[in-house]
Amino acid sequence: MAARWALGAGAAWARGLLSWARPERWLASGSLFPLSCIHTSTSLQKIGKWEKKNRIVYPPQLPGEPRRPAEIYHCRREIKYSKDKMWYLAKLIKGMSIDQALAQLEFSDKKGAKVIKEVLLEAQEMAVRKHNVEFKSNLHIAESQTGRGRYVKRLRCHGKGMFGMMRISRCHYFVKLVEGPPPPPEPPKTGFDQAKEYVQQLRNRTLVHTL
Amino acid sequence: MGDGDADTPHPLPNSRGSPPPHAPPALHHARGGGWVRGCGRSLPRWPRPLLRSRWNFPLAGAARAPAGHAPPRARAPPGPAHTPPPPPPPRGGAKMAAAMAARLCLKGAESLLRPRALPCVVVPVRGRRKWPRVPEWARELSAEEKEWRLRSAAPIFPDERMERTFFLACTAEIMDPYVPPEGDARLTSLSKDGVKQQMQKLRQTAASQLALRKIKDHDPDFSTKTFPEKAQEIFIEAHNSLANFNKQKLHSLVTERCYPDMVRGNRYKTIRWRFVESLEPPRVVHVRCEGILNRGNLYGQVTVRMHSRQILAIYDRFGRLMYGGEEIPKDVLEYVVFERYLVNPYGTWRMHGKIIPEWAPPKDPIIKTVMIPGPAPDPSQEHETGK
């Protein structure tokens, strides 16, 4: 029906129609224009799952409940770096407080360190402005992961007319900041703990299918 | 075109100019145009074969037949009147019949066009092609006729871009805002000053009276006595639908200028609002009625003074209290402006905005602390060492 309208009224008008800003559906006392209800803006790229995690709203807490710590999800897509190389940095800062992480990244020689630092600063800013976090240092990194971005194959020319196909790799970086001090690290397992576990296993043995 | 015709192809009449009546038939034209393919008989590409054109039908008097194949007879008086021979019955398929008919048409045309006895010789000049193409015989037409033909020959360009119409359902601001008197609501009705304030009726302002009359012209049911209750109902309904995030209802209760002020920043928050009671009956304090853009485009704005007790609690995304409290009622004195598009018969009174006087007490601070960064330290300044 829209196509028929466009043909009838001229191509220029139709083009103008499509380049309009998105009409607000809520103009209840709106015009009599019959095409006022179409959504003419182009939809954005698919919003990733990590970005959507910032949209969940929890119900108000009752007065007796412990205060729920704020969680802020942030990511950066299509970083020109290898995901395996980025993983080392992500593993480095996992579990640190945000100040410590920023300090470590500032003095790291890797290329991805600069990118991750920018991401952390953005996330910190977002947390204070939008997510009602009171102290910007009171955040720690709960999750820090890398993901594979879109790879592109290109030709790499060698001598004597030979060539190889090379991959241009990109990665994504995901981070989750949680309000509060960082959790204490797990103590390493001593021999005594292992012995205790062994003894417990022995004690758990029972006889089955017996009287 | 079937069997060969003895005659060599003659240049056919076209609408571009007068064809040379006595020009020798040329197999290859000076212009170098190719031959029209398709017909077995070679037809030159230029001059073009006879086309249907609105200039090619008989002139005033005769019926305006759209057939282009019959050129105007008056232009070239035919010599010995002779009718074209009747077409033979179609022998072959439809293709053969069409070819035969075409050939006969051409023959008839050329016989009509070739005046046998014409004293002058018209030498065609292949000039620059002009538009619209007006043939010579059309120069004798009357001005009206010419204009009609020119107008119908011209292509129709849509001059006006059909823009999307927009509809101003509300004004952008509060017109001539009401200035609340200093110390309003501080004085009780028991003191003399308080009584004087309350006695300040609307009648004292002339502009308000004029505006009120204008509003009553468009809306005869309007009355300053009944309107404040309705206004308070609208106010309560609007805030309830804000707390429930009922966008559709909120749009019908609140103007487009007020909506973003109410809704901004609240998308991921939970709002709990409750109207406890009204401490004083609401009353109308200010009425204005003005038109924007045009003189008759009237919007009426009415300011209602409300003194009430309300409970407000805002929770953030994680359910933590950000502002206010569920059990803390607050006394609020507000001057709420309601607007209506008077000229629109389906317009309704909607909340337009609030007037916050300068002497209003400051709002309660939010629960969290906010850091305001100080000025960046200058490296030339010596920093003080802590003791």
Side-chain angles (χ1 to χ4, degrees), chain A residues 13 16 20 23 26 29 31 36 53-61 67-68 70-71 128 131-135 179, chain B residues 158 161-165 167 169 251 256 267-270 272 315-322 344 367-369 371:
Chain A
W13 175 71
W20 285 332
W26 47 257
S29 47
S31 51
S36 60
K53 289 189 191 238
N54 267 338
R55 296 187 188 179
I56 37 172
V57 180
Y58 293 92
Q61 283 185 303
R67 193 175 158 92
R68 190 181 281 126
E71 291 171 354
V128 171
H131 299 267
N132 196 34
V133 164
E134 201 167 347
F135 304 110
E179 206 177 1
Chain B
R161 258 186 89 203
M162 270 163 72
E163 307 259 332
R164 188 198 154 100
T165 55
F167 181 76
H251 273 295
E256 287 82 22
R267 204 204 282 214
Y268 300 116
K269 296 195 176 87
T270 319
R272 292 225 173 125
Y315 296 91
D316 67 355
R317 228 187 89 208
F318 306 100
R320 314 180 296 194
L321 191 64
M322 256 176 95
N344 182 10
I367 290 173
K368 79 167 188 174
T369 54
M371 182 190 92

Short mmCIF file of all heavy atoms in Angstrom, two decimals, chain A residues 13 16 20 23 26 29 31 36 53-61 67-68 70-71 128 131-135 179, chain B residues 158 161-165 167 169 251 256 267-270 272 315-322 344 367-369 371:
data_model
loop_
_atom_site.label_atom_id
_atom_site.label_comp_id
_atom_site.label_asym_id
_atom_site.label_seq_id
_atom_site.Cartn_x
_atom_site.Cartn_y
_atom_site.Cartn_z
N TRP A 13 8.73 12.47 -3.60
CA TRP A 13 7.97 12.53 -2.35
C TRP A 13 8.23 11.28 -1.51
O TRP A 13 8.39 11.35 -0.31
CB TRP A 13 6.49 12.67 -2.68
CG TRP A 13 5.61 12.62 -1.53
CD1 TRP A 13 5.49 13.57 -0.58
CD2 TRP A 13 4.73 11.55 -1.17
NE1 TRP A 13 4.58 13.16 0.36
CE2 TRP A 13 4.09 11.94 0.02
CE3 TRP A 13 4.43 10.33 -1.74
CZ2 TRP A 13 3.16 11.13 0.65
CZ3 TRP A 13 3.49 9.53 -1.11
CH2 TRP A 13 2.88 9.94 0.06
N GLY A 16 11.47 11.51 0.14
CA GLY A 16 11.37 12.42 1.29
C GLY A 16 10.73 11.74 2.47
O GLY A 16 11.11 11.90 3.61
N TRP A 20 12.52 10.99 6.54
CA TRP A 20 12.04 11.75 7.67
C TRP A 20 12.54 11.17 8.96
O TRP A 20 12.87 10.00 9.06
CB TRP A 20 10.53 11.77 7.71
CG TRP A 20 9.95 12.66 6.69
CD1 TRP A 20 10.50 13.78 6.16
CD2 TRP A 20 8.69 12.51 6.08
NE1 TRP A 20 9.65 14.32 5.25
CE2 TRP A 20 8.53 13.57 5.18
CE3 TRP A 20 7.66 11.58 6.21
CZ2 TRP A 20 7.40 13.73 4.42
CZ3 TRP A 20 6.54 11.75 5.45
CH2 TRP A 20 6.42 12.81 4.57
N PRO A 23 8.49 9.20 13.13
CA PRO A 23 7.28 9.85 13.65
C PRO A 23 6.94 9.30 15.01
O PRO A 23 7.05 8.13 15.26
CB PRO A 23 6.22 9.47 12.62
CG PRO A 23 6.71 8.24 12.01
CD PRO A 23 8.21 8.26 12.06
N TRP A 26 3.02 8.59 19.57
CA TRP A 26 2.10 9.05 20.59
C TRP A 26 1.39 10.34 20.27
O TRP A 26 0.71 10.87 21.11
CB TRP A 26 2.84 9.19 21.92
CG TRP A 26 4.13 9.90 21.86
CD1 TRP A 26 5.36 9.34 21.90
CD2 TRP A 26 4.34 11.31 21.78
NE1 TRP A 26 6.32 10.32 21.85
CE2 TRP A 26 5.74 11.53 21.78
CE3 TRP A 26 3.50 12.43 21.70
CZ2 TRP A 26 6.30 12.79 21.70
CZ3 TRP A 26 4.07 13.69 21.63
CH2 TRP A 26 5.45 13.85 21.64
N SER A 29 -3.36 13.38 19.09
CA SER A 29 -4.14 14.36 18.33
C SER A 29 -3.38 14.65 17.05
O SER A 29 -3.07 15.77 16.74
CB SER A 29 -4.30 15.62 19.16
OG SER A 29 -3.04 15.98 19.70
N SER A 31 -2.03 14.29 12.92
CA SER A 31 -2.56 14.77 11.66
C SER A 31 -3.40 13.69 11.02
O SER A 31 -3.42 12.54 11.44
CB SER A 31 -1.40 15.13 10.76
OG SER A 31 -0.51 14.04 10.70
N SER A 36 1.11 8.42 8.83
CA SER A 36 1.79 8.96 10.00
C SER A 36 2.17 7.89 11.00
O SER A 36 2.85 8.15 11.95
CB SER A 36 0.90 9.99 10.69
OG SER A 36 -0.29 9.35 11.09
N LYS A 53 22.06 -6.53 29.34
CA LYS A 53 22.07 -6.85 30.78
C LYS A 53 21.97 -5.60 31.63
O LYS A 53 21.64 -5.68 32.81
CB LYS A 53 23.35 -7.60 31.13
CG LYS A 53 23.35 -8.99 30.57
CD LYS A 53 24.50 -9.80 31.08
CE LYS A 53 24.61 -11.07 30.29
NZ LYS A 53 24.53 -12.27 31.07
N ASN A 54 22.25 -4.45 31.05
CA ASN A 54 22.13 -3.22 31.82
C ASN A 54 20.70 -2.74 31.93
O ASN A 54 20.45 -1.70 32.53
CB ASN A 54 22.95 -2.11 31.15
CG ASN A 54 24.34 -2.03 31.73
OD1 ASN A 54 24.57 -2.48 32.84
ND2 ASN A 54 25.24 -1.46 30.99
N ARG A 55 19.77 -3.45 31.33
CA ARG A 55 18.40 -2.95 31.32
C ARG A 55 17.50 -3.64 32.33
O ARG A 55 16.33 -3.30 32.43
CB ARG A 55 17.80 -3.16 29.93
CG ARG A 55 18.50 -2.37 28.88
CD ARG A 55 17.76 -2.48 27.60
NE ARG A 55 18.53 -1.87 26.53
CZ ARG A 55 18.15 -1.82 25.27
NH1 ARG A 55 17.01 -2.36 24.93
NH2 ARG A 55 18.89 -1.25 24.37
N ILE A 56 18.00 -4.62 33.02
CA ILE A 56 17.10 -5.29 33.96
C ILE A 56 16.88 -4.40 35.17
O ILE A 56 17.82 -3.76 35.66
CB ILE A 56 17.63 -6.67 34.43
CG1 ILE A 56 19.14 -6.63 34.60
CG2 ILE A 56 17.21 -7.75 33.49
CD1 ILE A 56 19.68 -7.87 35.23
N VAL A 57 15.65 -4.35 35.63
CA VAL A 57 15.25 -3.51 36.75
C VAL A 57 14.78 -4.43 37.86
O VAL A 57 13.88 -5.24 37.65
CB VAL A 57 14.12 -2.54 36.35
CG1 VAL A 57 13.72 -1.68 37.52
CG2 VAL A 57 14.56 -1.67 35.20
N TYR A 58 15.37 -4.29 39.02
CA TYR A 58 14.96 -5.11 40.16
C TYR A 58 13.84 -4.43 40.92
O TYR A 58 13.75 -3.20 40.96
CB TYR A 58 16.16 -5.33 41.10
CG TYR A 58 17.24 -6.17 40.50
CD1 TYR A 58 18.29 -5.58 39.81
CD2 TYR A 58 17.23 -7.56 40.61
CE1 TYR A 58 19.29 -6.35 39.25
CE2 TYR A 58 18.22 -8.33 40.06
CZ TYR A 58 19.25 -7.71 39.38
OH TYR A 58 20.24 -8.47 38.83
N PRO A 59 12.96 -5.18 41.55
CA PRO A 59 11.89 -4.55 42.34
C PRO A 59 12.49 -3.89 43.58
O PRO A 59 13.57 -4.27 44.02
CB PRO A 59 10.98 -5.72 42.72
CG PRO A 59 11.84 -6.92 42.61
CD PRO A 59 12.86 -6.64 41.57
N PRO A 60 11.79 -2.91 44.14
CA PRO A 60 12.33 -2.22 45.31
C PRO A 60 12.58 -3.19 46.46
O PRO A 60 11.80 -4.10 46.71
CB PRO A 60 11.23 -1.21 45.67
CG PRO A 60 10.46 -1.03 44.45
CD PRO A 60 10.56 -2.30 43.68
N GLN A 61 13.68 -2.93 47.18
CA GLN A 61 14.02 -3.82 48.27
C GLN A 61 13.23 -3.47 49.52
O GLN A 61 12.97 -2.30 49.80
CB GLN A 61 15.51 -3.68 48.59
CG GLN A 61 16.38 -4.40 47.60
CD GLN A 61 17.82 -4.33 48.01
OE1 GLN A 61 18.37 -3.26 48.20
NE2 GLN A 61 18.43 -5.47 48.17
N ARG A 67 21.58 -4.61 51.36
CA ARG A 67 21.62 -3.75 50.19
C ARG A 67 22.20 -4.50 49.00
O ARG A 67 23.29 -5.07 49.08
CB ARG A 67 22.51 -2.54 50.52
CG ARG A 67 22.41 -1.43 49.54
CD ARG A 67 23.23 -0.26 50.03
NE ARG A 67 23.59 0.63 48.97
CZ ARG A 67 22.86 1.70 48.62
NH1 ARG A 67 21.74 1.98 49.24
NH2 ARG A 67 23.28 2.48 47.66
N ARG A 68 21.48 -4.48 47.90
CA ARG A 68 21.94 -5.21 46.71
C ARG A 68 23.05 -4.43 46.04
O ARG A 68 22.89 -3.23 45.78
CB ARG A 68 20.77 -5.36 45.73
CG ARG A 68 21.06 -6.31 44.60
CD ARG A 68 19.89 -6.43 43.64
NE ARG A 68 18.85 -7.30 44.14
CZ ARG A 68 17.58 -6.95 44.25
NH1 ARG A 68 17.19 -5.74 43.91
NH2 ARG A 68 16.69 -7.79 44.71
N ALA A 70 25.37 -2.86 43.19
CA ALA A 70 25.09 -2.49 41.80
C ALA A 70 26.00 -3.26 40.86
O ALA A 70 27.17 -3.49 41.16
CB ALA A 70 25.31 -1.00 41.61
N GLU A 71 25.45 -3.66 39.70
CA GLU A 71 26.23 -4.39 38.69
C GLU A 71 26.17 -3.61 37.39
O GLU A 71 25.09 -3.29 36.92
CB GLU A 71 25.63 -5.77 38.46
CG GLU A 71 25.80 -6.69 39.64
CD GLU A 71 25.00 -7.97 39.47
OE1 GLU A 71 24.22 -8.08 38.49
OE2 GLU A 71 25.13 -8.83 40.33
N VAL A 128 28.72 5.81 37.80
CA VAL A 128 28.45 6.93 38.71
C VAL A 128 27.28 7.76 38.21
O VAL A 128 26.42 8.18 38.97
CB VAL A 128 29.71 7.80 38.84
CG1 VAL A 128 29.41 9.07 39.58
CG2 VAL A 128 30.79 7.03 39.54
N HIS A 131 23.94 4.66 37.06
CA HIS A 131 23.52 3.48 37.82
C HIS A 131 23.58 3.70 39.32
O HIS A 131 23.62 2.73 40.08
CB HIS A 131 24.37 2.27 37.41
CG HIS A 131 24.21 1.94 35.97
ND1 HIS A 131 23.29 1.03 35.51
CD2 HIS A 131 24.82 2.40 34.87
CE1 HIS A 131 23.36 0.95 34.20
NE2 HIS A 131 24.29 1.78 33.79
N ASN A 132 23.62 4.95 39.74
CA ASN A 132 23.49 5.27 41.16
C ASN A 132 24.56 4.60 42.00
O ASN A 132 24.28 4.03 43.06
CB ASN A 132 22.09 4.87 41.65
CG ASN A 132 21.77 5.51 42.99
OD1 ASN A 132 22.19 6.62 43.26
ND2 ASN A 132 21.05 4.80 43.82
N VAL A 133 25.79 4.66 41.51
CA VAL A 133 26.91 4.16 42.33
C VAL A 133 27.49 5.37 43.04
O VAL A 133 27.73 6.41 42.44
CB VAL A 133 27.96 3.49 41.43
CG1 VAL A 133 29.26 3.33 42.16
CG2 VAL A 133 27.45 2.15 40.98
N GLU A 134 27.72 5.22 44.33
CA GLU A 134 28.09 6.41 45.09
C GLU A 134 29.57 6.73 44.97
O GLU A 134 29.95 7.85 44.70
CB GLU A 134 27.72 6.18 46.57
CG GLU A 134 27.60 7.46 47.32
CD GLU A 134 26.94 7.26 48.67
OE1 GLU A 134 26.37 6.17 48.89
OE2 GLU A 134 26.99 8.17 49.49
N PHE A 135 30.42 5.73 45.17
CA PHE A 135 31.86 5.96 45.16
C PHE A 135 32.46 5.25 43.99
O PHE A 135 32.28 4.04 43.83
CB PHE A 135 32.48 5.44 46.47
CG PHE A 135 31.84 6.04 47.68
CD1 PHE A 135 31.05 5.25 48.50
CD2 PHE A 135 32.00 7.37 47.98
CE1 PHE A 135 30.44 5.79 49.61
CE2 PHE A 135 31.40 7.92 49.09
CZ PHE A 135 30.61 7.14 49.91
N GLU A 179 29.66 -3.28 42.66
CA GLU A 179 29.96 -2.33 43.73
C GLU A 179 30.45 -3.09 44.96
O GLU A 179 29.94 -4.16 45.28
CB GLU A 179 28.68 -1.57 44.08
CG GLU A 179 28.92 -0.21 44.66
CD GLU A 179 27.61 0.53 44.92
OE1 GLU A 179 26.55 -0.07 44.65
OE2 GLU A 179 27.65 1.67 45.36
N PRO B 158 5.59 17.60 -9.74
CA PRO B 158 4.95 17.97 -8.47
C PRO B 158 5.70 19.15 -7.84
O PRO B 158 6.82 19.02 -7.43
CB PRO B 158 5.07 16.71 -7.62
CG PRO B 158 6.16 15.93 -8.22
CD PRO B 158 6.25 16.29 -9.65
N ARG B 161 6.36 19.88 -2.40
CA ARG B 161 6.72 18.65 -1.73
C ARG B 161 5.75 18.43 -0.60
O ARG B 161 5.60 19.27 0.25
CB ARG B 161 8.13 18.80 -1.17
CG ARG B 161 9.15 18.09 -2.03
CD ARG B 161 10.46 18.15 -1.38
NE ARG B 161 10.63 17.03 -0.50
CZ ARG B 161 11.48 17.03 0.50
NH1 ARG B 161 12.16 18.10 0.77
NH2 ARG B 161 11.62 15.99 1.26
N MET B 162 5.09 17.33 -0.68
CA MET B 162 4.10 17.11 0.36
C MET B 162 4.80 16.82 1.67
O MET B 162 5.22 15.71 1.93
CB MET B 162 3.19 15.94 -0.02
CG MET B 162 1.98 16.43 -0.80
SD MET B 162 1.17 15.13 -1.66
CE MET B 162 0.40 14.25 -0.34
N GLU B 163 4.91 17.85 2.44
CA GLU B 163 5.59 17.67 3.71
C GLU B 163 4.64 16.98 4.67
O GLU B 163 3.44 17.06 4.53
CB GLU B 163 5.96 19.03 4.29
CG GLU B 163 6.74 19.89 3.33
CD GLU B 163 8.19 19.87 3.64
OE1 GLU B 163 8.52 19.66 4.81
OE2 GLU B 163 9.00 20.03 2.73
N ARG B 164 5.23 16.40 5.65
CA ARG B 164 4.40 15.76 6.66
C ARG B 164 3.78 16.86 7.51
O ARG B 164 4.49 17.71 8.03
CB ARG B 164 5.29 14.88 7.50
CG ARG B 164 4.53 14.03 8.43
CD ARG B 164 5.44 13.53 9.50
NE ARG B 164 4.68 13.24 10.68
CZ ARG B 164 4.30 12.03 11.03
NH1 ARG B 164 4.66 11.03 10.31
NH2 ARG B 164 3.58 11.85 12.09
N THR B 165 2.51 16.81 7.62
CA THR B 165 1.85 17.86 8.41
C THR B 165 2.09 17.59 9.88
O THR B 165 2.10 16.45 10.31
CB THR B 165 0.34 17.84 8.13
OG1 THR B 165 -0.13 16.52 8.41
CG2 THR B 165 0.06 18.19 6.70
N PHE B 167 1.13 18.94 13.90
CA PHE B 167 -0.02 19.46 14.60
C PHE B 167 0.45 19.94 15.95
O PHE B 167 0.97 19.18 16.75
CB PHE B 167 -1.02 18.30 14.75
CG PHE B 167 -2.28 18.67 15.43
CD1 PHE B 167 -3.26 19.37 14.76
CD2 PHE B 167 -2.50 18.29 16.73
CE1 PHE B 167 -4.44 19.70 15.38
CE2 PHE B 167 -3.68 18.61 17.36
CZ PHE B 167 -4.64 19.31 16.69
N ALA B 169 -0.14 20.57 19.30
CA ALA B 169 -1.19 20.31 20.28
C ALA B 169 -0.97 21.08 21.56
O ALA B 169 -1.86 21.12 22.40
CB ALA B 169 -1.24 18.81 20.58
N HIS B 251 0.10 10.36 28.17
CA HIS B 251 0.05 11.32 27.07
C HIS B 251 -1.29 12.01 26.96
O HIS B 251 -1.36 13.17 26.53
CB HIS B 251 0.38 10.62 25.76
CG HIS B 251 1.83 10.57 25.50
ND1 HIS B 251 2.57 11.69 25.27
CD2 HIS B 251 2.69 9.54 25.45
CE1 HIS B 251 3.83 11.35 25.11
NE2 HIS B 251 3.93 10.06 25.21
N GLU B 256 2.64 17.64 25.59
CA GLU B 256 3.91 17.16 25.05
C GLU B 256 5.09 17.95 25.59
O GLU B 256 6.23 17.49 25.55
CB GLU B 256 3.89 17.27 23.52
CG GLU B 256 3.01 16.25 22.84
CD GLU B 256 1.56 16.65 22.81
OE1 GLU B 256 1.29 17.85 22.94
OE2 GLU B 256 0.70 15.78 22.68
N ARG B 267 13.58 5.83 33.20
CA ARG B 267 13.23 4.62 32.51
C ARG B 267 13.57 3.38 33.31
O ARG B 267 12.83 2.41 33.31
CB ARG B 267 13.96 4.57 31.18
CG ARG B 267 13.23 3.68 30.18
CD ARG B 267 14.13 3.17 29.15
NE ARG B 267 14.41 4.19 28.16
CZ ARG B 267 14.59 3.92 26.88
NH1 ARG B 267 14.47 2.70 26.45
NH2 ARG B 267 14.89 4.86 26.04
N TYR B 268 14.69 3.40 34.00
CA TYR B 268 15.08 2.19 34.73
C TYR B 268 14.91 2.39 36.22
O TYR B 268 15.60 1.78 37.02
CB TYR B 268 16.54 1.84 34.39
CG TYR B 268 16.73 1.57 32.91
CD1 TYR B 268 17.53 2.38 32.14
CD2 TYR B 268 16.07 0.52 32.29
CE1 TYR B 268 17.69 2.15 30.80
CE2 TYR B 268 16.22 0.28 30.94
CZ TYR B 268 17.04 1.10 30.21
OH TYR B 268 17.19 0.87 28.88
N LYS B 269 13.99 3.26 36.58
CA LYS B 269 13.78 3.49 38.01
C LYS B 269 12.36 3.08 38.37
O LYS B 269 11.47 3.07 37.52
CB LYS B 269 13.97 4.97 38.34
CG LYS B 269 15.37 5.47 38.10
CD LYS B 269 15.57 6.79 38.79
CE LYS B 269 16.98 7.26 38.65
NZ LYS B 269 17.24 8.02 37.45
N THR B 270 12.17 2.81 39.64
CA THR B 270 10.82 2.52 40.14
C THR B 270 10.37 3.72 40.95
O THR B 270 11.08 4.15 41.85
CB THR B 270 10.85 1.28 41.04
OG1 THR B 270 11.71 0.33 40.46
CG2 THR B 270 9.48 0.68 41.19
N ARG B 272 7.37 5.37 43.34
CA ARG B 272 6.14 5.12 44.13
C ARG B 272 5.63 6.46 44.61
O ARG B 272 6.35 7.18 45.31
CB ARG B 272 6.47 4.22 45.33
CG ARG B 272 6.85 2.83 44.94
CD ARG B 272 6.19 1.79 45.78
NE ARG B 272 6.47 0.48 45.24
CZ ARG B 272 7.01 -0.50 45.92
NH1 ARG B 272 7.37 -0.32 47.18
NH2 ARG B 272 7.22 -1.67 45.35
N TYR B 315 13.17 4.53 43.61
CA TYR B 315 14.14 3.46 43.76
C TYR B 315 14.93 3.34 42.48
O TYR B 315 14.39 3.49 41.39
CB TYR B 315 13.44 2.13 44.04
CG TYR B 315 12.69 2.12 45.33
CD1 TYR B 315 11.35 2.50 45.38
CD2 TYR B 315 13.31 1.75 46.52
CE1 TYR B 315 10.66 2.50 46.57
CE2 TYR B 315 12.62 1.74 47.71
CZ TYR B 315 11.30 2.13 47.73
OH TYR B 315 10.61 2.13 48.90
N ASP B 316 16.20 3.02 42.59
CA ASP B 316 17.02 2.93 41.38
C ASP B 316 16.86 1.54 40.77
O ASP B 316 15.99 0.76 41.15
CB ASP B 316 18.48 3.25 41.69
CG ASP B 316 19.11 2.20 42.59
OD1 ASP B 316 18.40 1.29 43.05
OD2 ASP B 316 20.32 2.29 42.85
N ARG B 317 17.74 1.26 39.83
CA ARG B 317 17.63 0.01 39.07
C ARG B 317 17.72 -1.23 39.95
O ARG B 317 17.19 -2.28 39.61
CB ARG B 317 18.78 -0.03 38.08
CG ARG B 317 18.38 -0.38 36.67
CD ARG B 317 19.59 -0.56 35.82
NE ARG B 317 20.04 -1.93 35.86
CZ ARG B 317 21.29 -2.33 35.68
NH1 ARG B 317 22.23 -1.46 35.50
NH2 ARG B 317 21.59 -3.60 35.71
N PHE B 318 18.44 -1.12 41.06
CA PHE B 318 18.66 -2.31 41.88
C PHE B 318 17.72 -2.37 43.07
O PHE B 318 17.91 -3.18 43.96
CB PHE B 318 20.12 -2.34 42.36
CG PHE B 318 21.07 -2.23 41.22
CD1 PHE B 318 21.66 -1.03 40.91
CD2 PHE B 318 21.34 -3.33 40.43
CE1 PHE B 318 22.51 -0.92 39.83
CE2 PHE B 318 22.19 -3.24 39.36
CZ PHE B 318 22.78 -2.03 39.05
N GLY B 319 16.74 -1.49 43.09
CA GLY B 319 15.77 -1.53 44.17
C GLY B 319 16.22 -0.80 45.41
O GLY B 319 15.64 -0.99 46.48
N ARG B 320 17.23 0.04 45.30
CA ARG B 320 17.70 0.75 46.49
C ARG B 320 17.08 2.14 46.48
O ARG B 320 16.91 2.75 45.43
CB ARG B 320 19.22 0.88 46.46
CG ARG B 320 19.85 -0.44 46.08
CD ARG B 320 21.30 -0.39 46.04
NE ARG B 320 21.83 0.51 45.04
CZ ARG B 320 23.09 0.50 44.68
NH1 ARG B 320 23.90 -0.37 45.22
NH2 ARG B 320 23.54 1.36 43.78
N LEU B 321 16.76 2.62 47.66
CA LEU B 321 16.08 3.90 47.73
C LEU B 321 17.02 5.03 47.33
O LEU B 321 18.13 5.14 47.83
CB LEU B 321 15.63 4.12 49.18
CG LEU B 321 14.68 5.30 49.38
CD1 LEU B 321 13.38 5.08 48.66
CD2 LEU B 321 14.42 5.49 50.87
N MET B 322 16.53 5.85 46.42
CA MET B 322 17.34 6.96 45.93
C MET B 322 16.90 8.29 46.52
O MET B 322 17.69 9.19 46.70
CB MET B 322 17.18 7.08 44.41
CG MET B 322 18.32 6.57 43.61
SD MET B 322 17.95 6.68 41.89
CE MET B 322 18.67 8.23 41.49
N ASN B 344 -9.55 23.41 19.04
CA ASN B 344 -9.80 22.00 18.73
C ASN B 344 -11.02 21.53 19.51
O ASN B 344 -11.02 21.57 20.73
CB ASN B 344 -8.56 21.21 19.14
CG ASN B 344 -8.67 19.74 18.82
OD1 ASN B 344 -9.59 19.31 18.14
ND2 ASN B 344 -7.74 18.97 19.34
N ILE B 367 19.93 10.71 48.51
CA ILE B 367 20.53 9.94 49.61
C ILE B 367 22.03 9.75 49.40
O ILE B 367 22.80 9.74 50.35
CB ILE B 367 19.80 8.60 49.74
CG1 ILE B 367 18.39 8.87 50.27
CG2 ILE B 367 20.54 7.65 50.65
CD1 ILE B 367 17.50 7.69 50.30
N LYS B 368 22.48 9.61 48.18
CA LYS B 368 23.91 9.34 47.98
C LYS B 368 24.69 10.64 47.93
O LYS B 368 24.13 11.72 47.76
CB LYS B 368 24.10 8.53 46.70
CG LYS B 368 24.04 9.33 45.42
CD LYS B 368 24.55 8.49 44.27
CE LYS B 368 24.68 9.31 43.02
NZ LYS B 368 25.28 8.58 41.91
N THR B 369 26.00 10.54 48.08
CA THR B 369 26.86 11.72 47.99
C THR B 369 27.42 11.79 46.58
O THR B 369 27.72 10.77 45.96
CB THR B 369 28.03 11.63 48.98
OG1 THR B 369 28.70 10.40 48.76
CG2 THR B 369 27.54 11.67 50.40
N MET B 371 30.32 13.59 44.07
CA MET B 371 31.60 14.29 44.06
C MET B 371 31.58 15.34 42.96
O MET B 371 31.29 15.03 41.80
CB MET B 371 32.73 13.29 43.80
CG MET B 371 34.08 13.94 43.82
SD MET B 371 35.38 12.87 43.25
CE MET B 371 35.42 13.28 41.54
#
